Amino acid sequence: MSISEKLEKMYKNQINNIKNEKNKISKKKMIGSLVLDVDGRCISAVARVLGCSRKYVKQCSCFVKEGYIEQTKLEFRGRKRLTDKYSDLESDIKKIMENSLSVDPKFKSEKQYVNMTVKEIKRQLIETGKYQERNFSNSSLNNILNRMGYGLKKVKKTKPLKKIEETDAIFENVRKKKEEGFLNNRVMMISMDTKDKVLIGPFSRDGRNRIQIEAVDHELTNDCMIPVGILDLKNNTPYFFNYTSKPTSLDLVDCIEEVLKEQCLNKRIDKVIILLDNGPDNSGVRTVFLSGLIHIAEKYKIQIELVYYPPYHSKYNPVERLWARLEKIWNGFLLEAKEICLNFMKNLTWKGVKSITKLKEVKYEKGLTIDKKEMKKLEEKYLARTEGIKKWSVLITP
């Protein structure tokens, strides 16, 4: 009788229990106990009887005898990393990249550039004599370059600072001026902004409609409308002045004058506070814009105060809510004609007050400026700037 047959006869119940056991840990314990019962000299016979490997039976006996499970560590599995196999690989790649750096040929900047292909880097590595073609593939080398930070990257735009040093002071100035405007009945307060151009044509505005509407695929057109919005913060009257091309600084001044005329007819106004962002055409240093407002101040004998919001914070300007309301109304429609846009604006109401909408043409030439000497005289005579935030708070006194 063989050893296997003897085992099956002597330990029949124990062997059957092992074969029927589902729990892995319990099964290991039972196999280990069986091996110890036969004095550990019949591991191969136990493996044959149970139908498993000799190595597994030995692990089970170690588990019971010494109280641990032998585990295969993950770091010993699979192939080694190329950087572990070739210890100098990363330093060799770094040398190749540093030797391939190029600069601006006209030396106008100190920026450095490198744009080598993986194939070229591999070729130069083989030329060092330390490596062969079969040592690594292009994809493996590309992964190493990515880990080292040499992966291909897009040209990154410089992100502007979202908060300048004067931001808090500017916001405090805006708060004070708004309080002053709301408390004084002889102060008119308006908010002003120019919207991005609105394309005229069968173009989608990413809006939704109850009925399926199809728009054209490409937005290739020069036909557009650029609205200038003014919101009277005291009587809640919205104004829309629409231009078919980009309005100039003096056109913006004309829009302010039209609103001012209407208000001056109704009641006595001593001062106008204008809340606006520091855009290129209406900034606190735009000479043509300032000279135009000086002319209005002289004409109507009123003070005009420009109160600017900080850079990158124009969303707090109250007139921005008009644009949000307008987009909500028309974004599910195709603005195929100027008349459609104008009708949407005419029907817009703000706190129960209907808007005043006009279509205008650009009257003035672009690129007009005031001579520095002349502007210096106007500045000394009419303008007063708040210390510390001179560009963002300007008072014009006739």
Side-chain angles (χ1 to χ4, degrees):
M1 187 182 289
S2 67
I3 298 173
S4 300
E5 290 173 347
K6 287 180 180 179
L7 279 172
E8 286 181 350
K9 188 176 181 181
M10 294 175 66
Y11 299 97
K12 185 179 179 181
N13 293 333
Q14 203 168 342
I15 290 168
N16 288 334
N17 290 335
I18 291 169
K19 287 181 178 179
N20 294 327
E21 182 60 49
K22 302 296 182 183
N23 188 284
K24 289 184 179 181
I25 301 298
S26 299
K27 194 171 185 176
K28 273 180 177 279
K29 287 179 180 179
M30 292 168 71
I31 293 171
S33 300
L34 178 61
V35 173
L36 292 176
D37 286 347
V38 297
D39 206 14
R41 292 174 292 178
C42 302
I43 290 176
S44 298
V46 173
R48 281 195 298 273
V49 170
L50 296 174
C52 55
S53 68
R54 186 181 185 281
K55 185 179 179 181
Y56 177 68
V57 174
K58 193 173 182 178
Q59 285 178 0
C60 293
S61 66
C62 291
F63 172 66
V64 173
K65 190 177 179 180
E66 301 179 17
Y68 70 91
I69 301 174
E70 189 178 308
Q71 292 182 338
T72 305
K73 292 185 178 180
L74 291 174
E75 56 263 30
F76 296 116
R77 296 181 185 178
R79 290 180 295 178
K80 288 185 178 180
R81 279 191 171 187
L82 287 173
T83 48
D84 296 333
K85 197 173 179 181
Y86 305 104
S87 56
D88 296 334
L89 183 58
E90 286 193 359
S91 58
D92 291 338
I93 290 173
K94 198 171 183 180
K95 284 178 186 177
I96 290 169
M97 301 301 280
E98 287 175 353
N99 293 335
S100 304
L101 288 171
S102 58
V103 296
D104 179 8
K106 294 186 178 180
F107 301 101
K108 290 184 177 180
S109 73
E110 297 179 358
K111 291 182 175 67
Q112 295 177 319
Y113 307 87
V114 61
N115 189 17
M116 294 182 71
T117 62
V118 173
K119 287 183 179 179
E120 177 60 22
I121 295 168
K122 185 176 179 179
R123 186 188 67 78
Q124 292 194 29
L125 284 170
I126 293 169
E127 283 183 357
T128 62
K130 297 180 182 179
Y131 313 97
Q132 295 180 3
E133 177 75 27
R134 65 175 182 273
N135 288 151
F136 40 73
S137 64
N138 289 346
S139 60
S140 299
L141 188 57
N142 188 57
N143 290 337
I144 294 169
L145 288 168
N146 288 337
R147 284 201 302 271
M148 293 178 66
Y150 291 122
L152 291 173
K153 304 174 185 70
K154 289 183 179 180
V155 176
K156 189 177 180 181
K157 292 182 179 180
T158 304
K159 291 183 178 179
L161 293 171
K162 295 300 180 184
K163 186 176 180 180
I164 60 172
E165 291 180 8
E166 299 92 342
T167 296
D168 293 334
I170 296 169
F171 268 125
E172 181 60 24
N173 181 63
V174 172
R175 186 189 64 78
K176 287 180 180 177
K177 299 303 178 184
K178 285 176 77 173
E179 280 184 5
E180 176 193 330
F182 282 119
L183 291 173
N184 194 335
N185 292 329
R186 302 188 75 171
V187 173
M188 174 184 173
M189 189 160 56
I190 61 175
S191 174
M192 180 180 181
D193 186 37
T194 303
K195 184 175 169 53
D196 289 337
K197 64 181 179 181
V198 179
L199 297 180
I200 304 298
F203 309 122
S204 169
R205 301 188 63 80
D206 297 325
R208 296 176 183 271
N209 201 302
R210 296 288 179 187
I211 301 170
Q212 184 63 59
I213 297 173
E214 293 185 357
V216 295
D217 188 22
H218 293 83
E219 300 177 351
L220 302 175
T221 181
N222 291 323
D223 194 9
C224 66
M225 201 161 66
I226 302 174
V228 175
I230 295 178
L231 178 62
D232 191 323
L233 299 179
K234 287 198 163 183
N235 60 24
N236 299 313
T237 307
Y239 295 83
F240 294 109
F241 301 96
N242 299 282
Y243 292 86
T244 52
S245 59
K246 189 174 182 294
T248 65
S249 297
L250 290 176
D251 288 305
L252 299 181
V253 171
D254 284 352
C255 295
I256 294 169
E257 186 174 4
E258 284 194 38
V259 175
L260 188 59
K261 271 184 190 176
E262 188 175 311
Q263 295 298 323
C264 285
L265 291 174
N266 297 331
K267 54 185 177 180
R268 175 64 185 164
I269 300 295
D270 295 331
K271 185 179 181 180
V272 180
I273 295 175
I274 307 175
L275 303 174
L276 63 175
D277 57 18
N278 215 327
D281 294 316
N282 60 1
S283 73
V285 292
R286 180 75 172 180
T287 56
V288 174
F289 182 67
L290 293 174
S291 65
L293 292 178
I294 289 170
H295 175 72
I296 292 176
E298 282 283 317
K299 184 176 178 181
Y300 296 96
K301 302 300 179 186
I302 58 170
Q303 286 185 326
I304 299 176
E305 187 159 16
L306 304 178
V307 180
Y308 292 94
Y309 281 87
Y312 319 113
H313 293 80
S314 58
K315 64 182 179 181
Y316 295 106
N317 198 355
V319 73
E320 293 287 346
R321 298 172 197 168
L322 275 184
W323 304 137
R325 172 76 65 85
L326 191 59
E327 284 293 339
K328 191 173 181 180
I329 292 170
W330 74 17
N331 70 356
F333 293 82
L334 300 185
L335 306 179
E336 298 182 283
K338 293 182 180 68
E339 290 73 20
I340 297 174
C341 298
L342 294 173
N343 283 334
F344 275 117
M345 291 179 184
K346 285 175 183 176
N347 292 326
L348 183 145
T349 58
W350 184 259
K351 295 184 180 180
V353 182
K354 204 164 186 179
S355 67
I356 297 170
T357 304
K358 297 180 181 181
L359 182 63
K360 298 175 72 66
E361 294 292 332
V362 172
K363 287 168 52 179
Y364 304 95
E365 292 181 23
K366 294 181 180 179
L368 296 176
T369 57
I370 305 295
D371 182 67
K372 286 185 178 180
K373 291 182 179 178
E374 185 181 343
M375 192 61 210
K376 190 176 180 181
K377 291 178 183 177
L378 292 174
E379 186 104 19
E380 291 173 354
K381 185 176 180 181
Y382 296 103
L383 303 187
R385 297 178 182 269
T386 304
E387 194 62 37
I389 50 170
K390 293 184 177 181
K391 285 168 60 177
W392 295 278
S393 183
V394 184
L395 177 63
I396 301 171
T397 307

